[in-house]
Amino acid sequence: MDTTRRSSRLRTRTVLALSAALALSLTAACSSSSSGNGAANPAAAGSSAADALNTPTTLTFWTWVPSIQTTVNAFEKKYPNIKVNVVNAGQSAAEYTKLQTAIKAGSGAPDVAQIEYFALPQFALSKQVVDLTQYGAASLKSGYTASAWDQVALQGGIYGYPQDTGPLTMFYRTDIFKSLGLTAPTTWAEFAADAAKIHAADPTHYITSIDPGDAGGVDSLIWQAGGKPFQTTGSTSVNVNLKDSGSAKFSSMWTSLLSKKLVDPTPGWTTDWWKSMGSGKYAMWIAGAWAPGSLETTIANTKGKWGVAPVPQWTAGDNVSAENGGSSDAVVSTSTHKAAAAAFAAWLNSSAEGAASLNSIGLFPATTALLNSSTFLDQTFPFFNGQKANQVFAASSKAVAAGWQYLPYQVYANSIFKDSIGQAITNGSDLSAALGTWQTGISQYGTQQGFTVANG
Amino acid sequence: MLFVSPFLLAFAFAIAAPLLYAAYLSLFRQGLVGGNVFVGLDNYSRALSDALLHTGLIRVAIFLAVQVPVMLGMALLAALALDSGRLRWAALFRIGIFIPYAVPAVVAALMWGYIYGPRFGLVHQIGSDLSIPLPDLLSHSWMLASIGNITTWEYTGYNMLILYAALRSVPYELYEAAEVDGAGEIRKAVSIKIPALRQALLLCTIFSIIGSFQLFNEPNVLQALAPGVITTNYTPNMYAFNLAFNGQEYNYSAAIAVVLGGVTAVVAYAVQLWTNRQERAL
């Protein structure tokens, strides 16, 4: 099941150890508080937040970030009246199932829940999470990157605080490229040419693999190609167009590579796949900026052989990127302590202290103050042979194409990805036809659910 | 009445109530937009014309037709071998065949998934050591057979025990009489033991029919290794699961569950009728 694979990603990705010693040097993170208590306090976006934080309250927080207790402890130390119970209720779809059930049942749901960006619109639409505008969320907008904020500012409200992001990046084997006299591709045309050269030099080697079960990965590639296949056009109407120009760019290039067997159609995150990654079978991996931790821990033997570069461009000289993965923290509609829950979520993700702590436990930041800080940008990565990888990630974060949206039922849409695109990737058949099949499945489900679905 | 009431209570709460609730749910439709609506039998007519559901049903029917006879045949042979009394280390043999049943299905599927792995799996490592090219056991053409192998490994021992227990209840005098008539072990097996196993075999068959239609754990685990092969509607149960938990179509998936239960009951009943008729014909 998708969850198994995904959860292994999330587990590994959250073991990231990007940078440890950022915390206290960063102070200018956020809009200053109106409550006037010395330190910058994003939580106190109004007196109600300050009141809530001073009232003894116990909150429940569902998240699958393993070491997040560290950050929560810092919060509890600062606001001793609030006690936060951290609960791991499963990862991704497993958590959403429980969350939806608990909200429907009216009891057992947490106050704050981690929800990935692709799933947030669904919770927002059904009002299972709270519009944080009423708790002053709008004032925190300037603290976040535009690409992160765009993913929580939905349907006319603000339904979560960005917890981490995954700007798309190219991780490549410098040794392999060097041995073939190649440099890292800067355009997709160069990528395709290199794919042929790498496979010709050794028929068991490929430039990269493509995962037939990873809808998020393909979404990111379409996003980076300028596609906007999923649009919410009204409260009950959506537009699904997996034939737009971005989707077409994606499908024609990857169909060609797959049909010539120049990329390897293999599910990621399996033992087989990691062994191939470690053995040099794949010369690169295009993934979110959360990837370094997984690489460092799983294939430590390749330390120093990897480099980081921007994603190849469709037009030479352009600088366009996309997001891959990432989560928000949302306040659940059944919470009886919404003000305190909103203040906690705000502090966790917006405050300099919270953001730095999240980064230290392995999450790639969503706040601009951290992304622009010199401590962060100048950090060297031994795994990437001393490269200052955060500079590439931060640049990618700034270059994310605007206007991407997920459907208010993307969880289901992604689940049936493997039934169409997954099959085509595995068989090396026409991806454009498969995108059409996926579009039909997504549209039929939408109609069934009461949406007006257009395909324009 | 007093004595059956504990059973009736447990039955009402644990079996009847969930079934009735599923049947009740299946009469409504709750979309992400538009609230909860009574739709009568709409979900059932949708299920009857749902090609995705039919593909899954046909797949488990093929699985049933091939895997169950193979598994029960092996279980029967093992039970007869045990009962012949000619095996050395009989207890070890018995526990050895039974042990896979004690391994949880999810763990078994994970383990076999690693064994099947197309590049670094055990099967392929042995194959490449011996320079024998082997097919990808997780590909389209092999997947159902690979799943069948896992379930056979898991459940042969369980069925063997049922058959072996039935054999133990055959009166010993029958064998003595047969031996007096000059029958050997094979003759005894064919003329006494297998006819005596008729009811036990029927029981095993019905359990296996139910198990086949409910196929879920094994393909669900292997899906992570072969997402382009195992679709979300690979089996009817997987289809219902995805609709309910990723698609929130609880009502329609309740209807699918009811339909699946009905199909299973009909097939199991047909097998039972057929067996009884055979018996009468004898």
Side-chain angles (χ1 to χ4, degrees), chain A residues 251-413:
Chain A
S251 64
S252 68
M253 190 194 81
W254 288 89
T255 303
S256 153
L257 290 170
L258 281 163
S259 65
K260 294 181 206 154
K261 304 209 185 302
L262 296 178
V263 290
D264 190 26
T266 294
W269 304 88
T270 64
T271 321
D272 261 17
W273 183 79
W274 275 117
K275 284 190 175 162
S276 300
M277 286 286 283
S279 73
K281 177 174 176 169
Y282 304 132
M284 70 162 68
W285 182 27
I286 293 170
W290 39 259
S294 311
L295 292 167
E296 284 163 8
T297 52
T298 322
I299 46 171
N301 58 317
T302 57
K303 180 179 170 183
K305 293 178 179 170
W306 292 84
V308 174
V311 184
Q313 298 295 309
W314 287 97
T315 309
D318 269 9
N319 180 23
V320 185
S321 188
E323 289 283 347
N324 181 234
S327 292
S328 63
D329 289 318
V331 174
V332 178
S333 61
T334 52
S335 168
T336 48
H337 309 290
K338 291 193 184 75
F344 164 66
W347 181 90
L348 188 72
N349 300 298
S350 295
S351 74
E353 203 183 343
S357 172
L358 289 180
N359 181 229
S360 75
I361 59 168
L363 300 181
F364 189 80
T367 54
T368 46
L370 189 48
L371 279 169
N372 292 332
S373 83
S374 55
T375 328
F376 178 77
L377 291 171
D378 292 339
Q379 191 197 341
T380 56
F381 287 68
F383 191 82
F384 301 120
N385 199 22
Q387 198 179 346
K388 290 176 181 172
N390 281 339
Q391 297 186 351
V392 179
F393 303 148
S396 171
S397 175
K398 287 202 181 80
V400 170
W404 175 273
Q405 290 181 11
Y406 289 110
L407 289 172
Y409 53 89
Q410 197 73 34
V411 177
Y412 179 78

Side-chain angles (χ1 to χ4, degrees), chain A residues 2-82:
Chain A
D2 193 41
T3 332
T4 326
R5 192 187 48 70
R6 243 202 106 73
S7 56
S8 68
R9 148 182 309 185
L10 294 162
R11 195 159 42 239
T12 39
R13 133 167 148 204
T14 41
V15 192
L16 276 162
L18 279 180
S19 63
L22 295 163
L24 301 169
S25 64
L26 308 161
T27 44
C30 6
S31 63
S32 63
S33 94
S34 54
S35 60
N37 53 351
N41 177 11
S47 59
S48 69
D51 289 348
L53 287 170
N54 290 325
T55 314
T57 312
T58 301
L59 298 174
T60 305
F61 176 29
W62 281 10
T63 175
W64 59 85
V65 178
S67 318
I68 206 160
Q69 191 67 49
T70 318
T71 315
V72 169
N73 288 345
F75 172 81
E76 287 179 328
K77 200 171 164 196
K78 186 154 186 164
Y79 300 101
N81 288 317
I82 313 285

Side-chain angles (χ1 to χ4, degrees), chain B residues 41-71:
Chain B
L41 297 176
D42 273 12
N43 286 324
Y44 290 95
S45 60
R46 185 181 159 195
L48 288 180
S49 59
D50 188 340
L52 293 174
L53 174 62
H54 300 168
T55 333
L57 273 173
I58 291 167
R59 186 172 289 116
V60 290
I62 295 171
F63 181 87
L64 168 67
V66 178
Q67 187 266 340
V68 172
V70 170
M71 174 181 70

Side-chain angles (χ1 to χ4, degrees), chain A residues 97-122:
Chain A
T97 301
K98 285 183 200 155
L99 190 55
Q100 269 151 357
T101 313
I103 294 170
K104 269 197 184 134
S107 68
D111 300 286
V112 180
Q114 175 182 356
I115 298 174
E116 286 156 290
Y117 298 123
F118 84 90
L120 192 59
Q122 184 160 325

Side-chain angles (χ1 to χ4, degrees), chain A residues 1-2 93 97 100 104 122 212-213 236 264 266-267 270-272 275-276 281 409 411-412 415-416 418-419 422-423 426-427 445 448-451, chain B residues 29-33 46 114 117-121 140 220-221 223-233 241-243 245-250:
Chain A
M1 191 171 81
D2 193 41
T97 301
Q100 269 151 357
K104 269 197 184 134
Q122 184 160 325
T236 62
D264 190 26
T266 294
T270 64
T271 321
D272 261 17
K275 284 190 175 162
S276 300
K281 177 174 176 169
Y409 53 89
V411 177
Y412 179 78
S415 80
I416 58 166
K418 57 177 93 68
D419 298 353
Q423 303 243 323
T426 304
N427 302 333
Y445 175 85
Q448 195 69 246
Q449 290 295 317
F451 290 94
Chain B
R29 174 158 63 226
Q30 183 165 28
L32 290 167
V33 177
R46 185 181 159 195
Y114 293 134
R119 290 191 190 94
F120 299 96
H140 268 285
N220 198 39
V221 168
Q223 192 177 54
L225 302 175
V229 175
I230 299 187
T231 55
T232 53
N233 65 317
F241 179 87
N242 194 53
L243 284 172
F245 295 116
N246 282 323
Q248 299 188 68
E249 291 203 76
Y250 300 105

Side-chain angles (χ1 to χ4, degrees), chain B residues 82-167:
Chain B
L82 266 183
D83 193 61
S84 73
R86 300 219 170 158
L87 278 188
R88 223 175 260 196
W89 309 103
L92 195 69
F93 178 80
R94 195 173 58 204
I95 196 77
I97 295 187
F98 184 72
I99 265 182
Y101 182 68
V103 177
V106 170
V107 177
L110 274 174
M111 189 187 83
W112 280 98
Y114 293 134
I115 294 177
Y116 291 153
R119 290 191 190 94
F120 299 96
L122 184 66
V123 173
H124 277 263
Q125 282 184 348
I126 292 173
S128 66
D129 285 350
L130 301 176
S131 311
I132 306 169
L134 290 173
D136 179 359
L137 297 172
L138 296 175
S139 63
H140 268 285
S141 28
W142 282 90
M143 185 57 85
L144 204 57
S146 298
I147 294 172
N149 180 51
I150 301 177
T151 51
T152 307
W153 179 84
E154 284 174 305
Y155 295 109
T156 299
Y158 169 76
N159 288 298
M160 174 197 74
L161 270 200
I162 294 179
L163 298 175
Y164 180 62
L167 281 176

